Amino acid sequence: MSNFVQSLRLWFSPARLRAEGDTPDYRFSLANERTFLAWLRTALALVGGGFAVDQFLPDLRWAARAGLALALLGAGVLCALRAGGRWARCELAMRRGEDLPVSRFPALLGLEVALVALAMAAVVLFGWER
Amino acid sequence: MRGPRGAARGTGPRPERADAARDPGLQPERTRLAWRRTTLACTVATVLAVRSALHEGLCAAGAVAGALCLACWLGFLLVAHRRITTLTAPRPRTLAPGVAAVAALCTAALALCGVAAVV
């Protein structure tokens, strides 16, 4: 939880980031930026998947369709917010010369995507259409 | 051109070359292309979002949701364009935290508009 508070404080006072430690090699910062962008693309893919479920599966029952779409859209929101927080925390760790922060978010995201995929497979196999 | 900050940290010796201003690993260029890919992904998601907001005919709520999605897309496009222009420098500055925040929040807001459209 303290990690969350820390990244929230970084979001709202960006000057703190520049005040900490010393500037790392610009290539490490750029690599961190590309990782941030890759997470952002993951978030956008989840959001796009949510919209696609909502629109291109009109034969599904409303509950199944809305549930799958909301699971994907919610994962997209979390992924986008976490991408920003993680970028700030990695930048801070590099400036201070500490280890990069670890997190269980990738495992949870993988689990959720697997669950959504299983639900999709069940919908296709058992024909839960209206 | 190589200033004292150019000394690589933790990555073996770099070959000396005439145009040392250019990074042999093309890091600024790769980062620029990553921004372009992300802009493209954002455009695709926005197209799907606007289609989702308007597919039940044009109603006031759908029009507002579609307009908000377009606003998120424009915000993302703006920060991405500004970052892409700064990345043409041989040794670009670190990404400003505000830019990262705007990009992440535009993505999250796009998804929240989608939640409003689905429910």
mmCIF file with all atom_site columns, all heavy atoms in Angstrom, chain A residues 26-28 33-34 41 51 54-55 77 80 87 91, chain B residues 8 27 31 35 38 48 51-52 83 91 94 114:
data_model
loop_
_atom_site.group_PDB
_atom_site.id
_atom_site.type_symbol
_atom_site.label_atom_id
_atom_site.label_alt_id
_atom_site.label_comp_id
_atom_site.label_asym_id
_atom_site.label_entity_id
_atom_site.label_seq_id
_atom_site.pdbx_PDB_ins_code
_atom_site.Cartn_x
_atom_site.Cartn_y
_atom_site.Cartn_z
_atom_site.occupancy
_atom_site.B_iso_or_equiv
_atom_site.pdbx_formal_charge
_atom_site.auth_seq_id
_atom_site.auth_comp_id
_atom_site.auth_asym_id
_atom_site.auth_atom_id
_atom_site.pdbx_PDB_model_num
ATOM 1   N N   . TYR A 1 26  ? 20.820  8.459  -20.208 1.00 0.00 ? 26  TYR A N   1
ATOM 2   C CA  . TYR A 1 26  ? 19.560  8.737  -20.909 1.00 0.00 ? 26  TYR A CA  1
ATOM 3   C C   . TYR A 1 26  ? 18.983  7.485  -21.562 1.00 0.00 ? 26  TYR A C   1
ATOM 4   O O   . TYR A 1 26  ? 17.774  7.374  -21.732 1.00 0.00 ? 26  TYR A O   1
ATOM 5   C CB  . TYR A 1 26  ? 19.779  9.833  -21.961 1.00 0.00 ? 26  TYR A CB  1
ATOM 6   C CG  . TYR A 1 26  ? 20.502  9.377  -23.200 1.00 0.00 ? 26  TYR A CG  1
ATOM 7   C CD1 . TYR A 1 26  ? 19.811  9.159  -24.384 1.00 0.00 ? 26  TYR A CD1 1
ATOM 8   C CD2 . TYR A 1 26  ? 21.868  9.142  -23.190 1.00 0.00 ? 26  TYR A CD2 1
ATOM 9   C CE1 . TYR A 1 26  ? 20.462  8.738  -25.523 1.00 0.00 ? 26  TYR A CE1 1
ATOM 10  C CE2 . TYR A 1 26  ? 22.522  8.711  -24.306 1.00 0.00 ? 26  TYR A CE2 1
ATOM 11  C CZ  . TYR A 1 26  ? 21.814  8.523  -25.479 1.00 0.00 ? 26  TYR A CZ  1
ATOM 12  O OH  . TYR A 1 26  ? 22.464  8.081  -26.598 1.00 0.00 ? 26  TYR A OH  1
ATOM 13  N N   . ARG A 1 27  ? 19.850  6.495  -21.868 1.00 0.00 ? 27  ARG A N   1
ATOM 14  C CA  . ARG A 1 27  ? 19.330  5.285  -22.527 1.00 0.00 ? 27  ARG A CA  1
ATOM 15  C C   . ARG A 1 27  ? 18.488  4.454  -21.579 1.00 0.00 ? 27  ARG A C   1
ATOM 16  O O   . ARG A 1 27  ? 17.516  3.826  -21.993 1.00 0.00 ? 27  ARG A O   1
ATOM 17  C CB  . ARG A 1 27  ? 20.490  4.452  -23.073 1.00 0.00 ? 27  ARG A CB  1
ATOM 18  C CG  . ARG A 1 27  ? 21.053  5.058  -24.323 1.00 0.00 ? 27  ARG A CG  1
ATOM 19  C CD  . ARG A 1 27  ? 22.316  4.412  -24.728 1.00 0.00 ? 27  ARG A CD  1
ATOM 20  N NE  . ARG A 1 27  ? 23.398  4.743  -23.794 1.00 0.00 ? 27  ARG A NE  1
ATOM 21  C CZ  . ARG A 1 27  ? 24.617  4.286  -23.925 1.00 0.00 ? 27  ARG A CZ  1
ATOM 22  N NH1 . ARG A 1 27  ? 24.928  3.500  -24.917 1.00 0.00 ? 27  ARG A NH1 1
ATOM 23  N NH2 . ARG A 1 27  ? 25.544  4.622  -23.054 1.00 0.00 ? 27  ARG A NH2 1
ATOM 24  N N   . PHE A 1 28  ? 18.846  4.463  -20.291 1.00 0.00 ? 28  PHE A N   1
ATOM 25  C CA  . PHE A 1 28  ? 18.020  3.722  -19.319 1.00 0.00 ? 28  PHE A CA  1
ATOM 26  C C   . PHE A 1 28  ? 16.660  4.383  -19.174 1.00 0.00 ? 28  PHE A C   1
ATOM 27  O O   . PHE A 1 28  ? 15.624  3.711  -19.094 1.00 0.00 ? 28  PHE A O   1
ATOM 28  C CB  . PHE A 1 28  ? 18.732  3.660  -17.961 1.00 0.00 ? 28  PHE A CB  1
ATOM 29  C CG  . PHE A 1 28  ? 20.041  2.922  -17.998 1.00 0.00 ? 28  PHE A CG  1
ATOM 30  C CD1 . PHE A 1 28  ? 21.012  3.151  -17.047 1.00 0.00 ? 28  PHE A CD1 1
ATOM 31  C CD2 . PHE A 1 28  ? 20.286  2.002  -19.007 1.00 0.00 ? 28  PHE A CD2 1
ATOM 32  C CE1 . PHE A 1 28  ? 22.208  2.477  -17.086 1.00 0.00 ? 28  PHE A CE1 1
ATOM 33  C CE2 . PHE A 1 28  ? 21.487  1.318  -19.051 1.00 0.00 ? 28  PHE A CE2 1
ATOM 34  C CZ  . PHE A 1 28  ? 22.453  1.562  -18.094 1.00 0.00 ? 28  PHE A CZ  1
ATOM 35  N N   . GLU A 1 33  ? 10.868  4.435  -20.576 1.00 0.00 ? 33  GLU A N   1
ATOM 36  C CA  . GLU A 1 33  ? 9.766   5.068  -21.309 1.00 0.00 ? 33  GLU A CA  1
ATOM 37  C C   . GLU A 1 33  ? 9.125   4.073  -22.279 1.00 0.00 ? 33  GLU A C   1
ATOM 38  O O   . GLU A 1 33  ? 7.892   4.017  -22.403 1.00 0.00 ? 33  GLU A O   1
ATOM 39  C CB  . GLU A 1 33  ? 10.314  6.275  -22.057 1.00 0.00 ? 33  GLU A CB  1
ATOM 40  C CG  . GLU A 1 33  ? 9.261   7.069  -22.800 1.00 0.00 ? 33  GLU A CG  1
ATOM 41  C CD  . GLU A 1 33  ? 9.850   8.311  -23.439 1.00 0.00 ? 33  GLU A CD  1
ATOM 42  O OE1 . GLU A 1 33  ? 10.938  8.744  -23.024 1.00 0.00 ? 33  GLU A OE1 1
ATOM 43  O OE2 . GLU A 1 33  ? 9.217   8.855  -24.353 1.00 0.00 ? 33  GLU A OE2 1
ATOM 44  N N   . ARG A 1 34  ? 9.948   3.261  -22.953 1.00 0.00 ? 34  ARG A N   1
ATOM 45  C CA  . ARG A 1 34  ? 9.385   2.280  -23.899 1.00 0.00 ? 34  ARG A CA  1
ATOM 46  C C   . ARG A 1 34  ? 8.592   1.206  -23.163 1.00 0.00 ? 34  ARG A C   1
ATOM 47  O O   . ARG A 1 34  ? 7.572   0.733  -23.667 1.00 0.00 ? 34  ARG A O   1
ATOM 48  C CB  . ARG A 1 34  ? 10.496  1.659  -24.737 1.00 0.00 ? 34  ARG A CB  1
ATOM 49  C CG  . ARG A 1 34  ? 11.052  2.590  -25.779 1.00 0.00 ? 34  ARG A CG  1
ATOM 50  C CD  . ARG A 1 34  ? 11.827  1.829  -26.845 1.00 0.00 ? 34  ARG A CD  1
ATOM 51  N NE  . ARG A 1 34  ? 12.983  1.141  -26.290 1.00 0.00 ? 34  ARG A NE  1
ATOM 52  C CZ  . ARG A 1 34  ? 14.156  1.702  -26.089 1.00 0.00 ? 34  ARG A CZ  1
ATOM 53  N NH1 . ARG A 1 34  ? 14.339  2.961  -26.390 1.00 0.00 ? 34  ARG A NH1 1
ATOM 54  N NH2 . ARG A 1 34  ? 15.151  1.026  -25.584 1.00 0.00 ? 34  ARG A NH2 1
ATOM 55  N N   . ARG A 1 41  ? 0.113   0.262  -24.430 1.00 0.00 ? 41  ARG A N   1
ATOM 56  C CA  . ARG A 1 41  ? -0.474  -0.445 -25.579 1.00 0.00 ? 41  ARG A CA  1
ATOM 57  C C   . ARG A 1 41  ? -1.248  -1.666 -25.108 1.00 0.00 ? 41  ARG A C   1
ATOM 58  O O   . ARG A 1 41  ? -2.302  -1.988 -25.670 1.00 0.00 ? 41  ARG A O   1
ATOM 59  C CB  . ARG A 1 41  ? 0.616   -0.861 -26.571 1.00 0.00 ? 41  ARG A CB  1
ATOM 60  C CG  . ARG A 1 41  ? 1.104   0.256  -27.434 1.00 0.00 ? 41  ARG A CG  1
ATOM 61  C CD  . ARG A 1 41  ? 1.860   -0.272 -28.633 1.00 0.00 ? 41  ARG A CD  1
ATOM 62  N NE  . ARG A 1 41  ? 3.062   -1.006 -28.259 1.00 0.00 ? 41  ARG A NE  1
ATOM 63  C CZ  . ARG A 1 41  ? 4.210   -0.446 -27.939 1.00 0.00 ? 41  ARG A CZ  1
ATOM 64  N NH1 . ARG A 1 41  ? 4.322   0.858  -27.944 1.00 0.00 ? 41  ARG A NH1 1
ATOM 65  N NH2 . ARG A 1 41  ? 5.246   -1.173 -27.623 1.00 0.00 ? 41  ARG A NH2 1
ATOM 66  N N   . PHE A 1 51  ? -14.433 -3.123 -26.147 1.00 0.00 ? 51  PHE A N   1
ATOM 67  C CA  . PHE A 1 51  ? -15.371 -2.539 -27.115 1.00 0.00 ? 51  PHE A CA  1
ATOM 68  C C   . PHE A 1 51  ? -15.768 -3.566 -28.165 1.00 0.00 ? 51  PHE A C   1
ATOM 69  O O   . PHE A 1 51  ? -16.931 -3.617 -28.596 1.00 0.00 ? 51  PHE A O   1
ATOM 70  C CB  . PHE A 1 51  ? -14.743 -1.326 -27.797 1.00 0.00 ? 51  PHE A CB  1
ATOM 71  C CG  . PHE A 1 51  ? -14.680 -0.105 -26.928 1.00 0.00 ? 51  PHE A CG  1
ATOM 72  C CD1 . PHE A 1 51  ? -13.503 0.582  -26.771 1.00 0.00 ? 51  PHE A CD1 1
ATOM 73  C CD2 . PHE A 1 51  ? -15.804 0.333  -26.263 1.00 0.00 ? 51  PHE A CD2 1
ATOM 74  C CE1 . PHE A 1 51  ? -13.439 1.702  -25.963 1.00 0.00 ? 51  PHE A CE1 1
ATOM 75  C CE2 . PHE A 1 51  ? -15.751 1.453  -25.462 1.00 0.00 ? 51  PHE A CE2 1
ATOM 76  C CZ  . PHE A 1 51  ? -14.559 2.134  -25.313 1.00 0.00 ? 51  PHE A CZ  1
ATOM 77  N N   . ASP A 1 54  ? -18.313 -5.910 -26.853 1.00 0.00 ? 54  ASP A N   1
ATOM 78  C CA  . ASP A 1 54  ? -19.606 -5.236 -26.736 1.00 0.00 ? 54  ASP A CA  1
ATOM 79  C C   . ASP A 1 54  ? -20.311 -5.144 -28.086 1.00 0.00 ? 54  ASP A C   1
ATOM 80  O O   . ASP A 1 54  ? -21.533 -5.278 -28.156 1.00 0.00 ? 54  ASP A O   1
ATOM 81  C CB  . ASP A 1 54  ? -19.385 -3.841 -26.147 1.00 0.00 ? 54  ASP A CB  1
ATOM 82  C CG  . ASP A 1 54  ? -20.694 -3.102 -25.988 1.00 0.00 ? 54  ASP A CG  1
ATOM 83  O OD1 . ASP A 1 54  ? -21.656 -3.736 -25.515 1.00 0.00 ? 54  ASP A OD1 1
ATOM 84  O OD2 . ASP A 1 54  ? -20.764 -1.911 -26.325 1.00 0.00 ? 54  ASP A OD2 1
ATOM 85  N N   . GLN A 1 55  ? -19.536 -4.928 -29.146 1.00 0.00 ? 55  GLN A N   1
ATOM 86  C CA  . GLN A 1 55  ? -20.184 -4.652 -30.429 1.00 0.00 ? 55  GLN A CA  1
ATOM 87  C C   . GLN A 1 55  ? -20.328 -5.843 -31.339 1.00 0.00 ? 55  GLN A C   1
ATOM 88  O O   . GLN A 1 55  ? -21.304 -5.956 -32.065 1.00 0.00 ? 55  GLN A O   1
ATOM 89  C CB  . GLN A 1 55  ? -19.347 -3.630 -31.189 1.00 0.00 ? 55  GLN A CB  1
ATOM 90  C CG  . GLN A 1 55  ? -19.483 -2.266 -30.644 1.00 0.00 ? 55  GLN A CG  1
ATOM 91  C CD  . GLN A 1 55  ? -18.613 -1.362 -31.450 1.00 0.00 ? 55  GLN A CD  1
ATOM 92  O OE1 . GLN A 1 55  ? -18.821 -1.194 -32.639 1.00 0.00 ? 55  GLN A OE1 1
ATOM 93  N NE2 . GLN A 1 55  ? -17.614 -0.811 -30.808 1.00 0.00 ? 55  GLN A NE2 1
ATOM 94  N N   . VAL A 1 77  ? -8.308  -0.067 -17.649 1.00 0.00 ? 77  VAL A N   1
ATOM 95  C CA  . VAL A 1 77  ? -8.145  1.111  -16.777 1.00 0.00 ? 77  VAL A CA  1
ATOM 96  C C   . VAL A 1 77  ? -7.003  0.874  -15.792 1.00 0.00 ? 77  VAL A C   1
ATOM 97  O O   . VAL A 1 77  ? -6.098  1.709  -15.652 1.00 0.00 ? 77  VAL A O   1
ATOM 98  C CB  . VAL A 1 77  ? -9.452  1.396  -16.009 1.00 0.00 ? 77  VAL A CB  1
ATOM 99  C CG1 . VAL A 1 77  ? -9.227  2.496  -14.991 1.00 0.00 ? 77  VAL A CG1 1
ATOM 100 C CG2 . VAL A 1 77  ? -10.557 1.804  -16.953 1.00 0.00 ? 77  VAL A CG2 1
ATOM 101 N N   . ALA A 1 80  ? -3.569  0.951  -17.466 1.00 0.00 ? 80  ALA A N   1
ATOM 102 C CA  . ALA A 1 80  ? -3.103  2.285  -17.862 1.00 0.00 ? 80  ALA A CA  1
ATOM 103 C C   . ALA A 1 80  ? -2.617  3.060  -16.646 1.00 0.00 ? 80  ALA A C   1
ATOM 104 O O   . ALA A 1 80  ? -1.545  3.676  -16.684 1.00 0.00 ? 80  ALA A O   1
ATOM 105 C CB  . ALA A 1 80  ? -4.224  3.042  -18.560 1.00 0.00 ? 80  ALA A CB  1
ATOM 106 N N   . TRP A 1 87  ? 6.078   3.596  -14.159 1.00 0.00 ? 87  TRP A N   1
ATOM 107 C CA  . TRP A 1 87  ? 7.125   4.372  -14.811 1.00 0.00 ? 87  TRP A CA  1
ATOM 108 C C   . TRP A 1 87  ? 7.779   5.308  -13.801 1.00 0.00 ? 87  TRP A C   1
ATOM 109 O O   . TRP A 1 87  ? 9.012   5.389  -13.716 1.00 0.00 ? 87  TRP A O   1
ATOM 110 C CB  . TRP A 1 87  ? 6.531   5.177  -15.975 1.00 0.00 ? 87  TRP A CB  1
ATOM 111 C CG  . TRP A 1 87  ? 7.505   6.137  -16.554 1.00 0.00 ? 87  TRP A CG  1
ATOM 112 C CD1 . TRP A 1 87  ? 8.459   5.848  -17.478 1.00 0.00 ? 87  TRP A CD1 1
ATOM 113 C CD2 . TRP A 1 87  ? 7.674   7.511  -16.198 1.00 0.00 ? 87  TRP A CD2 1
ATOM 114 N NE1 . TRP A 1 87  ? 9.208   6.971  -17.724 1.00 0.00 ? 87  TRP A NE1 1
ATOM 115 C CE2 . TRP A 1 87  ? 8.746   7.996  -16.959 1.00 0.00 ? 87  TRP A CE2 1
ATOM 116 C CE3 . TRP A 1 87  ? 7.024   8.370  -15.326 1.00 0.00 ? 87  TRP A CE3 1
ATOM 117 C CZ2 . TRP A 1 87  ? 9.182   9.307  -16.873 1.00 0.00 ? 87  TRP A CZ2 1
ATOM 118 C CZ3 . TRP A 1 87  ? 7.454   9.675  -15.234 1.00 0.00 ? 87  TRP A CZ3 1
ATOM 119 C CH2 . TRP A 1 87  ? 8.527   10.144 -15.998 1.00 0.00 ? 87  TRP A CH2 1
ATOM 120 N N   . GLU A 1 91  ? 11.644  5.141  -12.493 1.00 0.00 ? 91  GLU A N   1
ATOM 121 C CA  . GLU A 1 91  ? 12.516  6.302  -12.700 1.00 0.00 ? 91  GLU A CA  1
ATOM 122 C C   . GLU A 1 91  ? 13.153  6.720  -11.372 1.00 0.00 ? 91  GLU A C   1
ATOM 123 O O   . GLU A 1 91  ? 14.350  6.991  -11.305 1.00 0.00 ? 91  GLU A O   1
ATOM 124 C CB  . GLU A 1 91  ? 11.667  7.428  -13.300 1.00 0.00 ? 91  GLU A CB  1
ATOM 125 C CG  . GLU A 1 91  ? 12.441  8.507  -14.008 1.00 0.00 ? 91  GLU A CG  1
ATOM 126 C CD  . GLU A 1 91  ? 13.091  8.044  -15.294 1.00 0.00 ? 91  GLU A CD  1
ATOM 127 O OE1 . GLU A 1 91  ? 12.550  7.141  -15.946 1.00 0.00 ? 91  GLU A OE1 1
ATOM 128 O OE2 . GLU A 1 91  ? 14.147  8.590  -15.634 1.00 0.00 ? 91  GLU A OE2 1
ATOM 129 N N   . ALA B 2 8   ? 28.932  5.835  -20.983 1.00 0.00 ? 8   ALA B N   1
ATOM 130 C CA  . ALA B 2 8   ? 27.961  4.764  -20.740 1.00 0.00 ? 8   ALA B CA  1
ATOM 131 C C   . ALA B 2 8   ? 28.199  4.175  -19.365 1.00 0.00 ? 8   ALA B C   1
ATOM 132 O O   . ALA B 2 8   ? 29.339  4.045  -18.920 1.00 0.00 ? 8   ALA B O   1
ATOM 133 C CB  . ALA B 2 8   ? 28.110  3.696  -21.806 1.00 0.00 ? 8   ALA B CB  1
ATOM 134 N N   . GLN B 2 27  ? 18.459  4.422  -29.683 1.00 0.00 ? 27  GLN B N   1
ATOM 135 C CA  . GLN B 2 27  ? 17.435  4.453  -28.631 1.00 0.00 ? 27  GLN B CA  1
ATOM 136 C C   . GLN B 2 27  ? 16.402  5.555  -28.834 1.00 0.00 ? 27  GLN B C   1
ATOM 137 O O   . GLN B 2 27  ? 15.209  5.280  -28.693 1.00 0.00 ? 27  GLN B O   1
ATOM 138 C CB  . GLN B 2 27  ? 18.109  4.616  -27.267 1.00 0.00 ? 27  GLN B CB  1
ATOM 139 C CG  . GLN B 2 27  ? 19.096  3.521  -26.965 1.00 0.00 ? 27  GLN B CG  1
ATOM 140 C CD  . GLN B 2 27  ? 18.530  2.505  -26.019 1.00 0.00 ? 27  GLN B CD  1
ATOM 141 O OE1 . GLN B 2 27  ? 17.388  2.581  -25.638 1.00 0.00 ? 27  GLN B OE1 1
ATOM 142 N NE2 . GLN B 2 27  ? 19.348  1.550  -25.654 1.00 0.00 ? 27  GLN B NE2 1
ATOM 143 N N   . THR B 2 31  ? 12.407  4.772  -29.365 1.00 0.00 ? 31  THR B N   1
ATOM 144 C CA  . THR B 2 31  ? 11.384  5.327  -28.466 1.00 0.00 ? 31  THR B CA  1
ATOM 145 C C   . THR B 2 31  ? 10.353  6.118  -29.260 1.00 0.00 ? 31  THR B C   1
ATOM 146 O O   . THR B 2 31  ? 9.158   6.073  -28.979 1.00 0.00 ? 31  THR B O   1
ATOM 147 C CB  . THR B 2 31  ? 12.067  6.220  -27.421 1.00 0.00 ? 31  THR B CB  1
ATOM 148 O OG1 . THR B 2 31  ? 13.172  5.510  -26.876 1.00 0.00 ? 31  THR B OG1 1
ATOM 149 C CG2 . THR B 2 31  ? 11.118  6.569  -26.313 1.00 0.00 ? 31  THR B CG2 1
ATOM 150 N N   . TRP B 2 35  ? 6.290   5.462  -29.500 1.00 0.00 ? 35  TRP B N   1
ATOM 151 C CA  . TRP B 2 35  ? 5.210   6.457  -29.348 1.00 0.00 ? 35  TRP B CA  1
ATOM 152 C C   . TRP B 2 35  ? 4.263   6.371  -30.541 1.00 0.00 ? 35  TRP B C   1
ATOM 153 O O   . TRP B 2 35  ? 3.046   6.468  -30.395 1.00 0.00 ? 35  TRP B O   1
ATOM 154 C CB  . TRP B 2 35  ? 5.780   7.873  -29.241 1.00 0.00 ? 35  TRP B CB  1
ATOM 155 C CG  . TRP B 2 35  ? 6.121   8.267  -27.838 1.00 0.00 ? 35  TRP B CG  1
ATOM 156 C CD1 . TRP B 2 35  ? 7.367   8.321  -27.301 1.00 0.00 ? 35  TRP B CD1 1
ATOM 157 C CD2 . TRP B 2 35  ? 5.219   8.648  -26.798 1.00 0.00 ? 35  TRP B CD2 1
ATOM 158 N NE1 . TRP B 2 35  ? 7.284   8.707  -25.981 1.00 0.00 ? 35  TRP B NE1 1
ATOM 159 C CE2 . TRP B 2 35  ? 5.980   8.923  -25.652 1.00 0.00 ? 35  TRP B CE2 1
ATOM 160 C CE3 . TRP B 2 35  ? 3.827   8.780  -26.728 1.00 0.00 ? 35  TRP B CE3 1
ATOM 161 C CZ2 . TRP B 2 35  ? 5.408   9.325  -24.447 1.00 0.00 ? 35  TRP B CZ2 1
ATOM 162 C CZ3 . TRP B 2 35  ? 3.254   9.181  -25.527 1.00 0.00 ? 35  TRP B CZ3 1
ATOM 163 C CH2 . TRP B 2 35  ? 4.043   9.445  -24.413 1.00 0.00 ? 35  TRP B CH2 1
ATOM 164 N N   . THR B 2 38  ? 2.033   3.410  -30.220 1.00 0.00 ? 38  THR B N   1
ATOM 165 C CA  . THR B 2 38  ? 1.028   3.616  -29.181 1.00 0.00 ? 38  THR B CA  1
ATOM 166 C C   . THR B 2 38  ? -0.068  4.548  -29.675 1.00 0.00 ? 38  THR B C   1
ATOM 167 O O   . THR B 2 38  ? -1.247  4.350  -29.383 1.00 0.00 ? 38  THR B O   1
ATOM 168 C CB  . THR B 2 38  ? 1.703   4.171  -27.925 1.00 0.00 ? 38  THR B CB  1
ATOM 169 O OG1 . THR B 2 38  ? 2.862   3.387  -27.663 1.00 0.00 ? 38  THR B OG1 1
ATOM 170 C CG2 . THR B 2 38  ? 0.782   4.090  -26.739 1.00 0.00 ? 38  THR B CG2 1
ATOM 171 N N   . LEU B 2 48  ? -13.135 2.232  -32.251 1.00 0.00 ? 48  LEU B N   1
ATOM 172 C CA  . LEU B 2 48  ? -14.066 1.252  -31.677 1.00 0.00 ? 48  LEU B CA  1
ATOM 173 C C   . LEU B 2 48  ? -14.962 1.914  -30.632 1.00 0.00 ? 48  LEU B C   1
ATOM 174 O O   . LEU B 2 48  ? -16.165 1.616  -30.557 1.00 0.00 ? 48  LEU B O   1
ATOM 175 C CB  . LEU B 2 48  ? -13.294 0.097  -31.051 1.00 0.00 ? 48  LEU B CB  1
ATOM 176 C CG  . LEU B 2 48  ? -12.724 -0.923 -32.032 1.00 0.00 ? 48  LEU B CG  1
ATOM 177 C CD1 . LEU B 2 48  ? -11.795 -1.870 -31.313 1.00 0.00 ? 48  LEU B CD1 1
ATOM 178 C CD2 . LEU B 2 48  ? -13.833 -1.702 -32.694 1.00 0.00 ? 48  LEU B CD2 1
ATOM 179 N N   . ARG B 2 51  ? -17.584 4.115  -32.318 1.00 0.00 ? 51  ARG B N   1
ATOM 180 C CA  . ARG B 2 51  ? -18.564 3.232  -32.950 1.00 0.00 ? 51  ARG B CA  1
ATOM 181 C C   . ARG B 2 51  ? -19.501 2.650  -31.888 1.00 0.00 ? 51  ARG B C   1
ATOM 182 O O   . ARG B 2 51  ? -20.714 2.558  -32.096 1.00 0.00 ? 51  ARG B O   1
ATOM 183 C CB  . ARG B 2 51  ? -17.810 2.112  -33.657 1.00 0.00 ? 51  ARG B CB  1
ATOM 184 C CG  . ARG B 2 51  ? -18.647 1.335  -34.640 1.00 0.00 ? 51  ARG B CG  1
ATOM 185 C CD  . ARG B 2 51  ? -17.790 0.300  -35.331 1.00 0.00 ? 51  ARG B CD  1
ATOM 186 N NE  . ARG B 2 51  ? -18.597 -0.461 -36.283 1.00 0.00 ? 51  ARG B NE  1
ATOM 187 C CZ  . ARG B 2 51  ? -19.350 -1.488 -35.952 1.00 0.00 ? 51  ARG B CZ  1
ATOM 188 N NH1 . ARG B 2 51  ? -19.426 -1.873 -34.696 1.00 0.00 ? 51  ARG B NH1 1
ATOM 189 N NH2 . ARG B 2 51  ? -20.051 -2.127 -36.876 1.00 0.00 ? 51  ARG B NH2 1
ATOM 190 N N   . SER B 2 52  ? -18.922 2.284  -30.754 1.00 0.00 ? 52  SER B N   1
ATOM 191 C CA  . SER B 2 52  ? -19.723 1.722  -29.664 1.00 0.00 ? 52  SER B CA  1
ATOM 192 C C   . SER B 2 52  ? -20.688 2.761  -29.102 1.00 0.00 ? 52  SER B C   1
ATOM 193 O O   . SER B 2 52  ? -21.833 2.445  -28.767 1.00 0.00 ? 52  SER B O   1
ATOM 194 C CB  . SER B 2 52  ? -18.787 1.230  -28.572 1.00 0.00 ? 52  SER B CB  1
ATOM 195 O OG  . SER B 2 52  ? -19.492 0.535  -27.599 1.00 0.00 ? 52  SER B OG  1
ATOM 196 N N   . ARG B 2 83  ? 6.123   14.892 -27.605 1.00 0.00 ? 83  ARG B N   1
ATOM 197 C CA  . ARG B 2 83  ? 7.231   14.021 -27.192 1.00 0.00 ? 83  ARG B CA  1
ATOM 198 C C   . ARG B 2 83  ? 8.028   13.553 -28.400 1.00 0.00 ? 83  ARG B C   1
ATOM 199 O O   . ARG B 2 83  ? 9.256   13.484 -28.361 1.00 0.00 ? 83  ARG B O   1
ATOM 200 C CB  . ARG B 2 83  ? 6.666   12.828 -26.405 1.00 0.00 ? 83  ARG B CB  1
ATOM 201 C CG  . ARG B 2 83  ? 7.708   11.887 -25.860 1.00 0.00 ? 83  ARG B CG  1
ATOM 202 C CD  . ARG B 2 83  ? 8.652   12.586 -24.913 1.00 0.00 ? 83  ARG B CD  1
ATOM 203 N NE  . ARG B 2 83  ? 9.702   11.686 -24.455 1.00 0.00 ? 83  ARG B NE  1
ATOM 204 C CZ  . ARG B 2 83  ? 10.883  12.094 -23.979 1.00 0.00 ? 83  ARG B CZ  1
ATOM 205 N NH1 . ARG B 2 83  ? 11.152  13.367 -23.879 1.00 0.00 ? 83  ARG B NH1 1
ATOM 206 N NH2 . ARG B 2 83  ? 11.786  11.229 -23.584 1.00 0.00 ? 83  ARG B NH2 1
ATOM 207 N N   . ARG B 2 91  ? 20.408  13.380 -27.766 1.00 0.00 ? 91  ARG B N   1
ATOM 208 C CA  . ARG B 2 91  ? 20.331  12.941 -26.365 1.00 0.00 ? 91  ARG B CA  1
ATOM 209 C C   . ARG B 2 91  ? 19.109  13.570 -25.735 1.00 0.00 ? 91  ARG B C   1
ATOM 210 O O   . ARG B 2 91  ? 19.203  14.572 -25.034 1.00 0.00 ? 91  ARG B O   1
ATOM 211 C CB  . ARG B 2 91  ? 21.576  13.373 -25.591 1.00 0.00 ? 91  ARG B CB  1
ATOM 212 C CG  . ARG B 2 91  ? 22.807  12.629 -26.050 1.00 0.00 ? 91  ARG B CG  1
ATOM 213 C CD  . ARG B 2 91  ? 23.930  12.735 -25.051 1.00 0.00 ? 91  ARG B CD  1
ATOM 214 N NE  . ARG B 2 91  ? 25.158  12.225 -25.649 1.00 0.00 ? 91  ARG B NE  1
ATOM 215 C CZ  . ARG B 2 91  ? 25.363  10.953 -25.913 1.00 0.00 ? 91  ARG B CZ  1
ATOM 216 N NH1 . ARG B 2 91  ? 24.430  10.069 -25.645 1.00 0.00 ? 91  ARG B NH1 1
ATOM 217 N NH2 . ARG B 2 91  ? 26.487  10.562 -26.461 1.00 0.00 ? 91  ARG B NH2 1
ATOM 218 N N   . THR B 2 94  ? 14.732  13.290 -20.275 1.00 0.00 ? 94  THR B N   1
ATOM 219 C CA  . THR B 2 94  ? 13.837  12.281 -19.710 1.00 0.00 ? 94  THR B CA  1
ATOM 220 C C   . THR B 2 94  ? 12.390  12.724 -19.917 1.00 0.00 ? 94  THR B C   1
ATOM 221 O O   . THR B 2 94  ? 12.095  13.914 -19.913 1.00 0.00 ? 94  THR B O   1
ATOM 222 C CB  . THR B 2 94  ? 14.116  12.147 -18.202 1.00 0.00 ? 94  THR B CB  1
ATOM 223 O OG1 . THR B 2 94  ? 15.509  11.954 -18.028 1.00 0.00 ? 94  THR B OG1 1
ATOM 224 C CG2 . THR B 2 94  ? 13.372  10.971 -17.619 1.00 0.00 ? 94  THR B CG2 1
ATOM 225 N N   . GLY B 2 114 ? -16.062 3.976  -22.263 1.00 0.00 ? 114 GLY B N   1
ATOM 226 C CA  . GLY B 2 114 ? -16.567 2.703  -22.776 1.00 0.00 ? 114 GLY B CA  1
ATOM 227 C C   . GLY B 2 114 ? -17.476 2.019  -21.755 1.00 0.00 ? 114 GLY B C   1
ATOM 228 O O   . GLY B 2 114 ? -18.504 1.474  -22.114 1.00 0.00 ? 114 GLY B O   1
#
